[in-house]
């Protein structure tokens, strides 16, 4: 049982290319693992880099990273090269010496399952010439021929019983394994290898699912943090507006209270003055001397400073419409807050999306065989501009003759790809992708039905998408570079401003049936104002410090 478990553990950590224990295991972008040496040798051949297991195509060679977890597990299980070699020693034929030769023994060419001996070239001759020996069963030279013979019938172990999972001879198959599933040794070996590969594939699929789950959890935590920040800001805005509304209401109420209290105090003071004057008049009125009464009584003259209260009114603060006005101000505040956070989130989304498509960056060069005769290409085939000189070039079905444009050398008929072009200093240009059958001899119409998916600049600041009819575009800023992304299977062609991460335009639901080529149109020089070249540039992965604000 222990040996079976050990063998199963060993098979789990076999590279699907060399079928040996992983040596410096690395992971591909699709999640599968291989020895660094094995996958590098496979990818060193011509053609696109392809995963040997799932057949996913990588148009640019991925950067391989060591799978540290798998490396530690392999190391912890003591599945090192020494054990791998010991496993191979049981599977691979060793160099066997001739049993007939005297010292020094020569290398055996064949082993005889009847004679139970191995023979070099000279001692093998009788088995090739003598009629009786010709009937003997020969095989590649191996040691311990007794182990290859059935202990019961003394016949070679030529078959494998899949029912009992053991090697048997022909007599065993007739006498003891009748109606069992029998396979040749080669078929059984192939099935075992296939089973090992399927096990490895499923373990790798588990690892891929777990990696995606971890990525999903990380994304969920990030989205949760962003969402909490946005909603907290909105709730704080509501709280501030509510506090301001209550504060204004309280201030109005306090102002009314102070005004009423001031008027009441002044009225009470005048009442007090009048009452004092009236009391003095009442006391003097008891005098029987009229002259004395008139000389001493002040009540006939009102106290100084009395206010004419008939013209005074108490103005109440108006509260009607306060809630409506507060809600209106809250609406404006929330709208500004929404716009602020929406723009921030949209910017983050655009940057994340651009980083995603930049992973599909490919090396693109211009194809001189397609360049219109007035175009000049740089030596490194990375720049193109229009000249006044029309070159005399051999006639070619690939070359454009009327429209000043050129295609990329590289073609794509599957997967995704991305490239960037500098358009700085130009007042007109065309960029996109074209299908192989695009019209190369006459005037080109920029529209998908004519095999061209492109955007263009005209008259310095007029951006358009090549549709029928054309759609005007309004980028927030004039792009200095344009990134072109294509997903062949999804039928998607998108254009980006790599500096701001803004999406300029997308063609969706496209139906591609031919090879696609990068398309470049530097347009006419316009008296020198449009003489700057279109330049294919290296793709630099977007980072926050490169984004234009």
């Amino acid at each position: 049982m222990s040996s079976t478990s050990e063998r199963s553990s060993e098979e789990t950590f076999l590279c699907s290319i060399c079928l040996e224990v992983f040596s410096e295991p690395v992971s591909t972008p699709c999640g599968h693992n291989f020895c660094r040496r094995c996958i590098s040798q496979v990818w060193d051949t011509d053609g696109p880099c392809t995963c040997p297991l799932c057949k996913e195509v990588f148009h640019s060679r991925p950067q391989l990273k060591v799978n540290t977890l798998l490396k530690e597990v392999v190391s912890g299980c003591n599945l090192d090269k020494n054990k791998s070699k010991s496993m191979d020693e049981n599977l691979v034929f060793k160099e066997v010496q001739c049993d007939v030769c005297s010292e020094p023994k020569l290398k055996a060419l064949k082993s005889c399952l009847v004679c139970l001996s191995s023979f070099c070239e000279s001692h093998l001759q009788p088995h090739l010439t003598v009629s009786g020996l010709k009937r003997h069963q020969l095989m590649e030279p191996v040691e311990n021929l007794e182990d290859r013979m059935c202990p019961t019938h003394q016949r070679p172990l030529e078959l494998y019983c899949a029912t009992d999972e053991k090697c048997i001879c022909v007599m065993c198959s007739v006498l003891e394994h009748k109606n069992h599933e029998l396979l040749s040794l080669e078929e059984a070996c192939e099935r075992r290898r296939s089973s090992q590969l399927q096990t490895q594939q499923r373990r790798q699929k588990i690892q891929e699912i777990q990696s995606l789950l971890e990525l999903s959890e990380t994304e969920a935590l990030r989205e949760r943090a962003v969402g909490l920040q946005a909603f907290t800001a909105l709730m704080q805005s509501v709280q501030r507006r509510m506090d301001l509304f209550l504060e204004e209401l309280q201030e109005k109420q306090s102002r009314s209270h102070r005004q009423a209290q001031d008027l009441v105090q002044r009225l009470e003071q005048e009442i007090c003055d009048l009452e004092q004057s009236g009391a003095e008049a009442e006391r003097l009125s008891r005098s029987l001397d009229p002259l004395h009464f008139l000389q001493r009584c002040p009540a006939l003259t009102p106290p100084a400073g009395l206010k004419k209260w008939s013209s005074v009114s108490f103005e109440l603060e108006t509260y009607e419409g306060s809630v409506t006005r507060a809600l209106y101000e809250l609406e404006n505040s929330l709208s500004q807050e929404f716009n602020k956070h929406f723009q921030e989130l949209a910017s983050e989304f655009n940057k994340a999306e651009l980083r995603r498509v930049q992973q599909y960056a490919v090396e693109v060069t211009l194809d001189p065989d397609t360049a219109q005769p007035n175009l000049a290409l740089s030596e490194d085939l990375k720049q193109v501009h229009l000249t006044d000189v029309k070159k005399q070039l051999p006639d070619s079905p690939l070359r454009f003759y009327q429209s000043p444009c050129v295609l990329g050398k590289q073609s794509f008929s599957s997967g995704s790809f991305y490239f960037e072009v500098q358009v700085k200093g130009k007042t007109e240009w065309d960029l996109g992708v074209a299908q192989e059958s695009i019209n190369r001899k006459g005037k080109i119409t920029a529209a998908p039905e004519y095999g061209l998916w492109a955007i263009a600049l005209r008259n310095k600041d007029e951006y358009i998408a090549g549709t029928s009819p054309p759609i005007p575009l309004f980028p927030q800023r004039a792009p200095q570079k344009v990134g072109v992304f294509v997903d062949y299977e999804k039928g998607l062609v998108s254009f980006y401003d790599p500096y701001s991460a803004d999406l300029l335009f997308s063609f969706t639901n496209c139906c591609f049936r031919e090879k696609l080529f990068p398309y470049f149109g530097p347009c006419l020089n316009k008296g020198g104002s449009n003489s700057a070249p279109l330049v294919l540039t290296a793709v630099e992965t977007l980072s926050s410090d490169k984004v234009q604000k």
Side-chain angles (χ1 to χ4, degrees), residues 171-297:
M171 291 298 295
C172 290
S173 66
V174 175
L175 300 176
E176 302 172 15
H177 298 268
K178 191 175 182 180
N179 298 326
H180 287 190
E181 183 183 4
L182 303 180
L183 303 172
S184 68
L185 297 181
E186 290 76 11
E187 291 175 333
C189 187
E190 185 62 30
R191 181 180 292 187
R192 178 69 59 86
R193 289 196 182 98
S194 175
S195 176
Q196 293 174 355
L197 181 59
Q198 291 176 359
T199 301
Q200 178 66 12
Q201 289 174 340
R202 281 156 178 75
R203 292 188 182 277
Q204 290 172 343
K205 180 57 69 174
I206 291 174
Q207 183 181 3
E208 178 183 343
I209 293 172
Q210 291 174 340
S211 298
L212 291 175
L213 179 60
E214 292 176 1
L215 179 62
S216 174
E217 291 174 348
T218 302
E219 286 293 312
L221 289 174
R222 188 188 67 81
E223 285 296 309
R224 183 177 184 274
V226 173
L228 285 176
Q229 181 181 3
F231 282 107
T232 300
L234 292 174
M235 289 188 291
Q236 289 175 346
S237 181
V238 173
Q239 185 67 45
R240 285 194 301 270
R241 285 292 164 182
M242 185 181 70
D243 292 342
L244 182 60
F245 165 72
L246 294 177
E247 183 181 341
E248 291 176 350
L249 200 64
Q250 182 64 37
E251 178 59 30
K252 282 185 177 182
Q253 188 177 8
S254 298
R255 190 162 55 246
S256 295
H257 186 271
R258 288 193 301 269
Q259 182 183 1
Q261 191 175 31
D262 181 61
L263 292 175
V264 169
Q265 286 179 351
R266 292 174 61 183
L267 284 168
E268 288 177 344
Q269 181 62 44
E270 291 191 3
I271 290 172
C272 182
D273 293 342
L274 288 171
E275 286 179 345
Q276 288 179 357
S277 176
E280 181 66 18
E282 180 64 27
R283 186 180 62 79
L284 293 175
S285 67
R286 297 191 187 97
S287 173
L288 298 178
D289 185 351
L291 178 62
H292 181 266
F293 174 76
L294 294 173
Q295 290 176 337
R296 298 293 184 89
C297 181

Side-chain angles (χ1 to χ4, degrees), residues 27-38:
S27 299
T28 59
C30 56
H32 296 130
N33 301 303
F34 307 94
C35 300
R36 180 186 290 276
R37 174 179 53 82
C38 295

Side-chain angles (χ1 to χ4, degrees), residues 15-252:
C15 170
S16 59
I17 297 177
C18 64
L19 296 180
E20 295 182 4
V21 178
F22 284 115
S23 171
E24 195 177 5
V26 294
S27 299
T28 59
C30 56
H32 296 130
N33 301 303
F34 307 94
C35 300
R36 180 186 290 276
R37 174 179 53 82
C38 295
I39 192 65
S40 296
Q41 289 177 349
V42 171
W43 285 353
D44 284 340
T45 59
D46 294 335
C49 298
T50 306
C51 175
L53 290 178
C54 67
K55 305 305 180 185
E56 180 174 347
V57 178
F58 310 108
H59 293 294
S60 60
R61 185 160 179 162
Q63 294 293 327
L64 298 174
K65 296 183 179 180
V66 176
N67 188 325
T68 54
L69 176 61
L70 184 57
K71 184 177 181 180
E72 291 175 1
V73 172
V74 171
S75 176
C77 294
N78 295 321
L79 295 175
D80 53 15
K81 279 293 183 181
N82 292 332
K83 176 164 286 190
S84 177
K85 290 180 180 178
S86 66
M87 293 168 59
D88 289 343
E89 287 175 356
N90 296 326
L91 299 174
V92 180
F93 294 114
K94 294 181 179 180
E95 180 176 321
V96 180
Q97 295 179 338
C98 177
D99 292 327
V100 182
C101 288
S102 56
E103 297 295 338
K105 292 182 176 292
L106 299 178
K107 176 182 176 181
L109 291 183
K110 295 290 182 180
S111 294
C112 178
L113 292 177
V114 178
C115 302
L116 298 182
S117 298
S118 299
F119 305 99
C120 65
E121 183 177 6
S122 60
H123 292 120
L124 182 64
Q125 291 303 314
H127 281 79
L128 303 177
T129 56
V130 178
S131 58
L133 296 177
K134 283 183 178 181
R135 292 191 294 270
H136 288 194
Q137 184 173 354
L138 299 178
M139 62 176 297
E140 295 299 318
V142 294
E143 291 183 334
N144 303 322
L145 284 169
E146 293 83 0
D147 295 339
R148 294 179 172 270
M149 303 297 292
C150 174
T152 303
H153 306 105
Q154 296 302 310
R155 287 177 172 268
L157 298 174
E158 301 176 279
L159 301 174
Y160 180 81
C161 176
T163 305
D164 295 335
E165 296 185 349
K166 62 182 297 186
C167 297
I168 60 174
C169 67
V170 176
M171 291 298 295
C172 290
S173 66
V174 175
L175 300 176
E176 302 172 15
H177 298 268
K178 191 175 182 180
N179 298 326
H180 287 190
E181 183 183 4
L182 303 180
L183 303 172
S184 68
L185 297 181
E186 290 76 11
E187 291 175 333
C189 187
E190 185 62 30
R191 181 180 292 187
R192 178 69 59 86
R193 289 196 182 98
S194 175
S195 176
Q196 293 174 355
L197 181 59
Q198 291 176 359
T199 301
Q200 178 66 12
Q201 289 174 340
R202 281 156 178 75
R203 292 188 182 277
Q204 290 172 343
K205 180 57 69 174
I206 291 174
Q207 183 181 3
E208 178 183 343
I209 293 172
Q210 291 174 340
S211 298
L212 291 175
L213 179 60
E214 292 176 1
L215 179 62
S216 174
E217 291 174 348
T218 302
E219 286 293 312
L221 289 174
R222 188 188 67 81
E223 285 296 309
R224 183 177 184 274
V226 173
L228 285 176
Q229 181 181 3
F231 282 107
T232 300
L234 292 174
M235 289 188 291
Q236 289 175 346
S237 181
V238 173
Q239 185 67 45
R240 285 194 301 270
R241 285 292 164 182
M242 185 181 70
D243 292 342
L244 182 60
F245 165 72
L246 294 177
E247 183 181 341
E248 291 176 350
L249 200 64
Q250 182 64 37
E251 178 59 30
K252 282 185 177 182

